[in-house]
Amino acid sequence: MPDDFREFFEERTQWTDTDDDDSAPRQGLADNTDAEDEAPLSRRQLRKSQEQRRNRRIIRIVAIVVIVAMVIGLFVFGYTRLKSWRDARERAQQALTADYPGPGTGKVEFTVESGEGPAEIGEKLVKADVVKSQAAFTSAVAANNSTLYPGTYELKKHMACADVITILSDQSKATGFLQVKAGERVSQVIANAAQLSGISVDDFNAVINGGGAGILPEEAGGKFEGWFEPGTYNVKNRGSASDIIKEMVDKRIEKLDSLGAPTGADRQKMLIMASIAESEVNSDEYYGKVVRVILNRLAQNMPLGMDSTVAYGLGTTADKLTDTMLADASNPYNTRVNAGLPPTPISNPGESAIKAAMNPPDGDWLYFVTVNLTTGETKFAATEDEFWKLRDEYKSTNSNAY
């Protein structure tokens, strides 16, 4: 209350100077307009005025601080960016200069693994003392848009990056990596594996003919055909034939599981059909239809009549079959005279053929003929009359029919 009372009193009290002449008009009694213009500010007004001036000073100070902070921030940002740019430029310059002149000395056996990129390869090259700088190597790879291939290569110590890239980007210089292709037979795969690994082919055959204990699944029945997954395998430094074979089988099982393939005896049956389709035609377009022909013939207890199976049982190729071979019922793979599926797959089918065997299209086809051997064009028929027409078309284009 005292403060309120003081303010009330100050607002209503006018002050006069008692020393002035009595004849002078007193403040508050003179002309109203002059009095209002010349009247002194009240204390409350003075306080408000002072507070406003103080606020304006604070605002100016804050504005100055903000501007200064922004200037400092921009300076720091610019300096940081400039420094980063200069550092990057220096690193790039170092990468260009951190290189051996070549051609190098001695001998280094160097392996590029599947899936390794330039940075990983460059790091390994530095550790092997082949190149001087990982940065120089990766920069050279990028500058030349080079593709580096897996394999084992013969290099030297202290080589120029450009010379190393020339070798690593030439597949003909790569050794030690086995390429398992879709449609290859086990015999072809182990022959290549023995040559590339330096392990005797007899060691491979001992595993293949040994029943596959600890390697093959039970449904394979001890037979490896169809159980090698196509792909690239580093066989150069593997310890044994068993290790190499097991890796290919493990990859096959892993792939089948990932595709949701049937298990047990149904898995083996699916692989047999996929391998026949892989051997009979050369296009994803036809794999499923060939499988449907097989299923339709099985349903009608018809022999499959596939020359590819006959040839497999004799260890030869379809183009070398004779009439005697085609009539030989002692060949368990002779599906011309023996009903049902052959005992095992006849090759290592690829993923496309496997998918087709898992989900073949609907159809009533019982026959198919490759009417154009050059293009691989294959036509399918539901009746024997249609089949003979396709055979005539084949003869007119000098292609094989099956």
Side-chain angles (χ1 to χ4, degrees):
M1 293 301 295
D3 290 339
D4 293 342
F5 180 78
R6 187 181 301 112
E7 290 178 359
F8 176 84
F9 177 77
E10 289 173 348
E11 288 176 355
R12 288 161 175 76
T13 303
Q14 294 182 350
W15 298 87
T16 60
D17 188 353
T18 55
D19 294 333
D20 289 344
D21 193 299
D22 291 341
S23 61
R26 295 184 177 181
Q27 290 183 359
L29 300 177
D31 179 77
N32 289 338
T33 302
D34 294 340
E36 290 178 0
D37 292 339
E38 298 177 2
L41 297 173
S42 67
R43 293 185 180 181
R44 185 176 184 182
Q45 290 173 325
L46 286 171
R47 284 199 301 272
K48 287 183 178 180
S49 177
Q50 292 172 351
E51 185 177 348
Q52 289 174 348
R53 287 195 297 271
R54 184 171 60 254
N55 289 342
R56 284 194 294 270
R57 285 197 298 270
I58 293 173
I59 291 172
R60 284 195 294 268
I61 292 171
V62 171
I64 292 172
V65 171
V66 171
I67 293 172
V68 170
M70 290 178 63
V71 171
I72 293 174
L74 289 172
F75 174 79
V76 172
F77 176 77
Y79 175 78
T80 302
R81 292 296 299 272
L82 178 61
K83 187 175 184 301
S84 298
W85 176 79
R86 291 179 60 185
D87 291 345
R89 184 180 178 184
E90 289 178 2
R91 287 194 297 269
Q93 187 64 30
Q94 291 174 357
L96 293 175
T97 57
D99 195 5
Y100 292 123
T105 59
K107 178 181 177 181
V108 176
E109 191 175 77
F110 185 81
T111 299
V112 176
E113 301 286 353
S114 295
E116 286 185 333
E120 295 170 287
I121 297 171
E123 183 179 357
K124 289 170 56 178
L125 287 167
V126 171
K127 289 181 179 179
D129 201 19
V130 174
V131 301
K132 189 175 183 180
S133 164
Q134 180 194 39
F137 178 77
T138 54
S139 295
V141 171
N144 293 281
N145 195 28
S146 301
T147 300
L148 309 180
Y149 295 100
T152 299
Y153 300 84
E154 185 175 309
L155 303 176
K156 300 178 181 180
K157 289 183 178 293
H158 295 193
M159 294 181 67
C161 290
D163 295 339
V164 175
I165 293 170
T166 298
I167 295 174
L168 300 187
S169 59
D170 185 352
Q171 282 185 299
S172 67
K173 292 183 173 13
T175 61
F177 270 69
L178 173 66
Q179 295 286 340
V180 178
K181 300 176 183 177
E184 282 187 319
R185 298 175 181 177
V186 163
S187 57
Q188 296 171 288
V189 174
I190 63 173
N192 293 334
Q195 181 181 6
L196 291 169
S197 67
I199 299 172
S200 170
V201 70
D202 291 337
D203 290 349
F204 283 96
N205 284 325
V207 178
I208 296 299
N209 298 326
I215 301 177
L216 284 172
E218 183 179 353
E219 59 264 29
K223 303 299 182 181
F224 282 88
E225 195 68 75
W227 287 93
F228 289 170
E229 176 64 22
T232 304
Y233 299 88
N234 182 4
V235 300
K236 180 68 174 180
N237 300 311
R238 298 305 294 269
S240 67
S242 179
D243 289 342
I244 295 171
I245 291 173
K246 187 176 187 307
E247 182 180 5
M248 293 187 288
V249 173
D250 288 346
K251 290 290 185 180
R252 169 62 94 194
I253 295 172
E254 180 183 340
K255 174 56 70 67
L256 292 174
D257 289 342
S258 70
L259 293 176
T263 58
D266 288 338
R267 176 169 287 193
Q268 178 74 343
K269 179 180 176 181
M270 182 272 298
L271 282 176
I272 292 173
M273 292 189 292
S275 71
I276 294 173
E278 186 82 67
S279 300
E280 288 285 343
V281 291
N282 62 354
S283 172
D284 294 359
E285 177 184 358
Y286 305 128
Y287 290 145
K289 290 183 177 181
V290 171
V291 173
R292 178 53 63 189
V293 168
I294 294 171
L295 291 171
N296 289 342
R297 282 183 166 245
L298 291 174
Q300 296 189 27
N301 199 31
M302 293 176 62
L304 299 186
M306 305 290 180
D307 288 357
S308 59
T309 64
V310 180
Y312 176 82
L314 297 172
T316 186
T317 56
D319 60 325
K320 295 179 180 178
L321 292 175
T322 65
D323 289 340
T324 300
M325 292 176 178
L326 292 173
D328 182 10
S330 66
N331 176 2
Y333 290 86
N334 189 340
T335 57
R336 277 187 171 241
V337 294
N338 298 317
L341 292 172
T344 71
I346 61 172
S347 69
N348 294 293
E351 183 174 334
S352 295
I354 289 173
K355 288 181 177 178
M358 289 171 56
N359 188 28
D362 292 330
D364 58 357
W365 312 294
L366 291 172
Y367 308 90
F368 62 92
V369 177
T370 300
V371 296
N372 190 321
L373 188 60
T374 302
T375 64
E377 182 183 7
T378 302
K379 294 185 178 181
F380 294 77
T383 67
E384 189 172 352
D385 287 342
E386 292 175 323
F387 167 72
W388 289 114
K389 290 179 182 179
L390 294 180
R391 287 272 296 189
D392 290 340
E393 183 178 348
Y394 146 71
K395 291 179 180 179
S396 68
T397 56
N398 195 31
S399 298
N400 280 323
Y402 299 95

